[in-house]
Amino acid sequence: MQDKIDKRDRAAQFRLRLARAMEDRNVSQSALARQIGVDRSTVSQLLTDEGARLPNAHVVGSCASALGVSADWLLCLSDRPESAAELLASSLTMAEAPRALVDERIFEWHKEAAGYKIRYVPATLPDMLKTRMVLEWEYAPHLGRTADQAIGASADRLTWMRSAQSDYEIAMPLYEIDSFANATGYYEGLCPKIRLEQIDHLLALCQQLYPRMRIYLFDAKRLYSAPVTIFGPLLCVFYAGSHYMAFRDRDRIETFTRHFDTLVREADLTARDFPDHLRQLRAAISGSLPTE
């Protein structure tokens, strides 16, 4: 839409959009006049006046409210007829985030974005890349007897990811993989055998899935990111612990895509460097084990 528009053209567009909104909602001139508190002749003039004059703000606002559109759209200041509240409701949704491996909503978002690039900042190591032993250590205390079923479903998700024709870019803070390897912080108490198996699993996945899956490590002392997944141009989803916040409006998706691209561009270790870093961590774990 043009930044500047002639007053006469704007007035003509106002008449066209007002008529369109009335037609779409099957509202007659008389009915609109009653709803906005003016004479029928006033509405007729709004629709037929050939001049460059626009109605006052009160009349424009009243028409917009009565017809369920935005005043900005009637005045050609927006290409979207929805009101600001409707736009927000459609562009932002919140959903509960269960403490579970298998979240059907997340899986549906992945399937919706099949074929697009999916950018992902996980809260820990990505669940879909974890070994069964790590998943059992992490989730069995919370899931109890359902852990086996959930872990099997998680393996199915990885199988699906491999065949989905989506590119996956994963950006993690460097300390996350280092904390895992050293069994510190979140991973305290994780035995060396499980850590070595997980690193071997990651190395195998990097070899099998590169370049469709690329993992970057950034320095959290310089850069920060909340856990977020950006599903191509379709939506971006923040993980807030107990809930997901999902945005579908183009501007926010582009903003957070640029944020993710910054994490990748300024990563200390690129996807090509990641396997070598894993091998160094593996060697350090092996070297710390007591000799028999």
Side-chain angles (χ1 to χ4, degrees), residues 8 11 41 86 91 101 114 123 125 134 145 159 190 232 268 281 284:
R8 188 175 295 275
S41 60
E86 289 171 331
S91 66
L101 267 170
L125 291 181
V134 170
R145 288 181 297 178
T159 300
L190 191 57
D268 283 32
L281 294 174

Side-chain angles (χ1 to χ4, degrees), residues 82-94 246-248 252:
E82 301 95 333
S83 66
E86 289 171 331
L87 285 172
L88 182 61
S90 64
S91 66
L92 170 63
T93 58
M94 294 188 67
F247 296 92
R248 286 190 177 271
R252 284 185 176 85

Side-chain angles (χ1 to χ4, degrees), residues 228-244:
V228 60
T229 307
I230 305 165
F231 295 90
L234 305 178
L235 75 159
C236 60
V237 179
F238 282 89
Y239 176 60
S242 61
H243 287 79
Y244 300 115

Side-chain angles (χ1 to χ4, degrees), residues 124-132 134-135 138 198 201:
T124 62
L125 291 181
D127 282 345
M128 61 187 176
L129 304 183
K130 291 173 182 172
T131 63
R132 182 180 184 88
V134 170
L135 292 171
E138 186 173 8
Q198 176 66 69
H201 182 61

Side-chain angles (χ1 to χ4, degrees), residues 240-259:
S242 61
H243 287 79
Y244 300 115
M245 296 174 55
F247 296 92
R248 286 190 177 271
D249 59 299
R250 183 182 62 188
D251 290 344
R252 284 185 176 85
I253 293 171
E254 289 180 351
T255 295
F256 293 117
T257 296
R258 289 195 297 271
H259 162 70

Side-chain angles (χ1 to χ4, degrees), residues 121 171 216 218 223-225 259-267:
V121 181
Y216 300 83
F218 61 87
L223 302 166
Y224 172 76
S225 179
H259 162 70
F260 185 93
D261 289 345
T262 298
L263 299 179
V264 169
R265 185 172 57 254
E266 299 191 18

Side-chain angles (χ1 to χ4, degrees), residues 1 8 38 55 65-66 130 135 137 154 158 219 237 243 281:
M1 190 168 60
R8 188 175 295 275
V38 298
S65 177
K130 291 173 182 172
L135 292 171
W137 173 84
S154 179
L158 176 57
D219 183 356
V237 179
H243 287 79
L281 294 174

